[in-house]
Amino acid sequence: MFLIDKAGDTSSGFALSPYYRFYFGAKPVAGFFMEGFSMFQSATINKSYYNSGYYDNNGNHVSSYYANKDKKVTAFALGIGLGGK
């Protein structure tokens, strides 16, 4: 899975989510099941910040600006699931 964010916050990323499902029953791939899964995600997020500026000792507004900052985000998860098919 690749991430595409139309709002422009996520510039690039990917996620992997492998799982293994074990069925309990007479028929193949039917009946009650239990599964284990994991997920690894990595993304680069680009955020825009507005700095309202600085003021000098007399209270006069000196400057304000927009700044962009990239942040690398990584996540990992493990889980189990139960269900029926």
Side-chain angles (χ1 to χ4, degrees):
M1 175 171 79
F2 290 90
L3 307 174
I4 299 173
D5 186 356
K6 300 282 187 212
D9 289 342
T10 304
S11 57
S12 65
F14 72 94
L16 300 172
S17 186
Y19 69 93
Y20 180 78
R21 188 175 283 177
F22 181 79
Y23 286 92
F24 299 92
K27 293 194 267 182
V29 254
F32 179 73
F33 66 83
M34 182 173 23
E35 69 180 13
F37 60 89
S38 64
M39 188 271 305
F40 175 77
Q41 177 185 4
S42 178
T44 302
I45 299 172
N46 182 291
K47 291 283 189 180
S48 296
Y49 298 95
Y50 176 72
N51 185 330
S52 61
Y54 300 102
Y55 294 87
D56 62 14
N57 292 335
N58 297 326
N60 298 322
H61 187 260
V62 177
S63 68
S64 61
Y65 60 91
Y66 283 96
N68 291 325
K69 186 175 183 181
D70 285 343
K71 181 178 180 183
K72 179 90 171 172
V73 178
T74 305
F76 181 76
L78 290 174
I80 59 170
L82 303 172
K85 181 176 176 186

